[in-house]
Amino acid sequence: MNPVKTFSWFDEEEDLVVVASQYPFSTSTNTISYIWDAETLILVPVGTTGEDYSDDQLSLVDSLLETGEIGQAAETLDTVMYPARYYNNEEMSCKFLIAAHTASIVAFKEGNIQSAMQYYEEACSAFERVSCNMNWCCTFESVEHFQESPFSEFISMYELSSILSDYAVIFKNDDQIRARSFAWCAAVLGEY
C-alpha cells in the first residue's frame, strides 16, 4: 500500500468498506473490498480488483499503431500518466516510425503521396511528445554513431536504412531538403 495515494470509503449499496491504493509514480491501482463481521469484529476481505489507466492507454496506442491511425495514437500517448514508468522514449519513437512507414507505404502504393507524407508528420508529432528530436532518424553521422545510440536496441540499422530510403522516394517531389536528408542518412547506415 502507498499511504500517500490510499483512499477508503463505505459503499452503502453493497454494504462494503472499500480501500484503494495506487502505486507510487504509477496509475496501477489495487482495490480491496471488505465486509464487517459483527461476530469477530473484523473486516473480512471479499474481493479485489486491479486496474492501470496508463497501461490501458498504452495498449490502445499499440492498437492504433497496428491499424495505421498514427495521429490518434500520438494523441492517445499524451494521456499516459507517469510516462517514464511505462515506456522508453526511444522504443516508442521506433514503434511510431515503423507503424508510420507501414501506413505510408500502403498510401504511396495507392498513389496517395500526401497521406504517405502525413503519416510521417504524425510520427514526428509523437517523437516530440516523447522528448525525442523530431528528426532523430536522420541524425546519425556514422554506423558507429547509430550502434552507440539507444535507438539501436529497438530498430535494426538495416530496417532504419530501408525506411529512410523509402521516405526519400516519398518526399522527393514535395520536400527536396527532407528527401535528401533521408537519402543521406540511409546511405550512411547502408555502409555496414
Side-chain angles (χ1 to χ4, degrees):
M1 282 219 172
N2 177 7
V4 176
K5 292 171 121 183
T6 298
F7 308 94
S8 61
W9 64 93
F10 184 71
D11 181 339
E12 292 182 25
E13 276 186 29
E14 300 291 326
D15 205 28
L16 297 173
V17 173
V18 181
V19 178
S21 185
Q22 192 176 73
Y23 287 98
F25 306 105
S26 169
T27 58
S28 178
T29 304
N30 289 324
T31 304
I32 304 173
S33 300
Y34 300 90
I35 193 161
W36 178 251
D37 184 338
E39 289 180 27
T40 60
L41 302 177
I42 61 171
L43 289 172
V44 178
V46 293
T48 62
T49 60
E51 63 185 23
D52 192 327
Y53 172 81
S54 289
D55 193 49
D56 293 344
Q57 292 305 97
L58 276 180
S59 293
L60 179 57
V61 166
D62 287 340
S63 295
L64 291 166
L65 288 175
E66 285 176 20
T67 59
E69 298 175 67
I70 312 305
Q72 185 63 40
E75 289 177 19
T76 302
L77 192 61
D78 277 344
T79 66
V80 174
M81 299 169 70
Y82 309 104
R85 175 163 171 86
Y86 287 92
Y87 61 81
N88 173 290
N89 292 345
E90 291 81 5
E91 179 181 20
M92 190 60 67
S93 292
C94 290
K95 281 183 174 185
F96 269 87
L97 179 65
I98 292 165
H101 175 253
T102 300
S104 292
I105 291 301
V106 170
F108 184 76
K109 287 180 179 179
E110 292 172 350
N112 193 340
I113 295 170
Q114 292 302 315
S115 288
M117 291 188 300
Q118 183 61 34
Y119 287 123
Y120 179 77
E121 297 300 334
E122 291 170 355
C124 286
S125 174
F127 304 157
E128 290 180 318
R129 285 178 160 101
V130 300
S131 302
C132 284
N133 177 335
M134 70 179 259
N135 296 312
W136 69 266
C137 53
C138 294
T139 61
F140 303 108
E141 299 168 356
S142 67
V143 169
E144 294 76 25
H145 185 209
F146 171 76
Q147 290 170 333
E148 293 169 1
S149 80
F151 294 99
S152 67
E153 295 178 44
F154 308 107
I155 189 168
S156 73
M157 194 165 22
Y158 172 77
E159 185 174 18
L160 180 55
S161 178
S162 178
I163 288 171
L164 295 174
S165 291
D166 289 341
Y167 275 126
V169 172
I170 290 169
F171 278 83
K172 75 178 178 181
N173 291 326
D174 289 80
D175 189 339
Q176 285 287 317
I177 294 171
R178 188 174 271 175
R180 285 187 201 125
S181 178
F182 289 136
W184 178 83
C185 198
V188 166
L189 296 176
E191 292 176 3
Y192 60 95

